[in-house]
Coordinates of all heavy atoms in Angstrom, one line a residue:
G76 N -32.0 -2.5 13.9 CA -32.7 -2.3 15.2 C -31.8 -1.7 16.2 O -31.2 -0.7 16.0
S77 N -31.7 -2.4 17.3 CA -30.9 -1.9 18.4 C -29.5 -2.6 18.4 O -28.7 -2.5 19.4 CB -31.5 -2.1 19.8 OG -31.7 -3.5 20.0
G78 N -29.1 -3.2 17.3 CA -27.9 -3.9 17.1 C -26.7 -3.0 17.4 O -26.7 -1.8 17.1
E79 N -25.6 -3.6 17.9 CA -24.4 -2.8 18.3 C -23.2 -3.7 17.9 O -23.1 -4.8 18.3 CB -24.4 -2.5 19.8 CG -23.2 -1.8 20.3 CD -23.2 -1.7 21.8 OE1 -24.1 -2.3 22.5 OE2 -22.4 -1.0 22.3
L80 N -22.3 -3.1 17.2 CA -21.0 -3.7 16.8 C -19.9 -3.1 17.5 O -19.7 -1.9 17.5 CB -20.8 -3.6 15.3 CG -19.5 -4.1 14.7 CD1 -19.4 -5.6 14.9 CD2 -19.4 -3.8 13.2
V81 N -19.1 -4.0 18.3 CA -18.0 -3.5 19.0 C -16.8 -4.3 18.5 O -16.7 -5.5 18.6 CB -18.1 -3.8 20.5 CG1 -16.9 -3.4 21.3 CG2 -19.4 -3.1 21.1
I82 N -15.8 -3.6 17.9 CA -14.5 -4.2 17.5 C -13.5 -3.6 18.4 O -13.2 -2.4 18.4 CB -14.3 -3.8 16.0 CG1 -15.4 -4.4 15.1 CG2 -12.9 -4.4 15.6 CD1 -15.3 -4.1 13.7
E83 N -12.8 -4.5 19.2 CA -11.8 -4.0 20.1 C -10.5 -3.7 19.5 O -10.4 -3.8 18.3 CB -11.7 -5.1 21.2 CG -13.0 -5.3 22.0 CD -12.8 -6.3 23.1 OE1 -11.9 -7.1 23.1 OE2 -13.7 -6.3 24.0
D84 N -9.5 -3.3 20.3 CA -8.2 -2.8 19.8 C -7.5 -3.9 18.9 O -7.6 -5.1 19.2 CB -7.3 -2.4 20.9 CG -7.8 -1.2 21.7 OD1 -8.7 -0.4 21.1 OD2 -7.3 -0.9 22.8
N85 N -6.7 -3.4 18.0 CA -5.7 -4.2 17.2 C -6.4 -5.3 16.5 O -5.9 -6.5 16.5 CB -4.6 -4.7 18.2 CG -3.4 -5.2 17.4 OD1 -3.1 -4.7 16.3 ND2 -2.7 -6.1 18.0
V86 N -7.5 -5.0 15.8 CA -8.2 -6.0 15.0 C -8.0 -5.7 13.5 O -8.0 -4.5 13.2 CB -9.7 -6.0 15.3 CG1 -10.5 -6.9 14.3 CG2 -9.9 -6.5 16.8
A87 N -7.8 -6.7 12.7 CA -7.7 -6.5 11.2 C -8.8 -7.2 10.6 O -9.1 -8.4 10.8 CB -6.3 -7.1 10.8
L88 N -9.5 -6.5 9.7 CA -10.6 -7.1 8.9 C -10.1 -7.1 7.4 O -9.9 -6.0 6.9 CB -11.9 -6.3 9.0 CG -12.5 -6.1 10.4 CD1 -13.8 -5.2 10.3 CD2 -12.8 -7.4 11.0
G89 N -10.1 -8.3 6.8 CA -9.7 -8.4 5.4 C -10.7 -7.8 4.5 O -11.8 -7.3 4.9
Q90 N -10.4 -7.9 3.2 CA -11.3 -7.3 2.2 C -12.7 -8.1 2.1 O -12.8 -9.3 2.4 CB -10.7 -7.4 0.8 CG -10.5 -8.8 0.2 CD -9.3 -9.5 0.6 OE1 -8.6 -9.1 1.6 NE2 -9.0 -10.6 0.0
C91 N -13.7 -7.3 1.9 CA -15.1 -7.8 1.7 C -15.6 -8.6 2.8 O -16.3 -9.6 2.7 CB -15.1 -8.6 0.4 SG -14.7 -7.6 -1.1
V92 N -15.3 -8.2 4.1 CA -15.9 -8.8 5.3 C -17.4 -8.3 5.4 O -17.6 -7.1 5.1 CB -15.1 -8.5 6.5 CG1 -15.8 -8.9 7.8 CG2 -13.8 -9.2 6.4
H93 N -18.3 -9.1 5.8 CA -19.7 -8.8 5.9 C -20.1 -9.1 7.4 O -20.1 -10.3 7.8 CB -20.5 -9.5 4.9 CG -22.0 -9.1 4.9 ND1 -22.9 -9.8 4.1 CD2 -22.7 -8.2 5.6 CE1 -24.1 -9.2 4.3 NE2 -24.0 -8.3 5.2
I94 N -20.5 -8.1 8.1 CA -21.0 -8.2 9.5 C -22.4 -7.7 9.6 O -22.6 -6.5 9.3 CB -20.0 -7.5 10.5 CG1 -18.6 -8.0 10.3 CG2 -20.5 -7.7 11.9 CD1 -17.5 -7.2 11.1
T95 N -23.3 -8.5 10.2 CA -24.6 -8.0 10.5 C -25.0 -8.3 11.9 O -24.7 -9.4 12.4 CB -25.7 -8.6 9.5 OG1 -25.7 -10.0 9.7 CG2 -25.5 -8.2 8.1
C96 N -25.6 -7.3 12.6 CA -26.0 -7.6 14.0 C -27.3 -7.0 14.3 O -27.6 -5.9 13.8 CB -24.9 -7.1 14.9 SG -24.5 -5.4 14.8
G97 N -28.1 -7.7 15.2 CA -29.3 -7.2 15.7 C -29.3 -7.0 17.2 O -30.2 -6.5 17.8
A98 N -28.2 -7.5 17.8 CA -28.0 -7.4 19.2 C -26.5 -6.9 19.4 O -26.0 -6.2 18.5 CB -28.2 -8.7 19.9
R99 N -25.8 -7.2 20.4 CA -24.5 -6.8 20.6 C -23.5 -7.8 20.1 O -23.5 -8.9 20.7 CB -24.2 -6.5 22.1 CG -22.9 -5.8 22.4 CD -22.9 -5.2 23.8 NE -21.9 -4.2 23.8 CZ -20.8 -4.2 24.6 NH1 -20.7 -5.3 25.4 NH2 -20.0 -3.3 24.6
L100 N -22.7 -7.5 19.1 CA -21.8 -8.4 18.5 C -20.4 -7.9 18.8 O -20.1 -6.7 18.5 CB -22.0 -8.6 17.0 CG -21.3 -9.7 16.3 CD1 -22.1 -10.2 15.1 CD2 -19.9 -9.4 15.9
I101 N -19.5 -8.7 19.4 CA -18.2 -8.3 19.9 C -17.1 -9.1 19.2 O -17.2 -10.3 19.1 CB -18.0 -8.4 21.4 CG1 -19.0 -7.5 22.1 CG2 -16.6 -8.0 21.8 CD1 -19.1 -7.8 23.6

Side-chain angles (χ1 to χ4, degrees):
S77 61
E79 177 184 11
L80 174 60
V81 176
I82 301 176
E83 296 180 345
D84 294 345
N85 197 28
V86 170
L88 302 179
Q90 70 276 11
C91 299
V92 168
H93 185 183
I94 302 170
T95 57
C96 59
R99 190 163 200 245
L100 194 151
I101 300 172

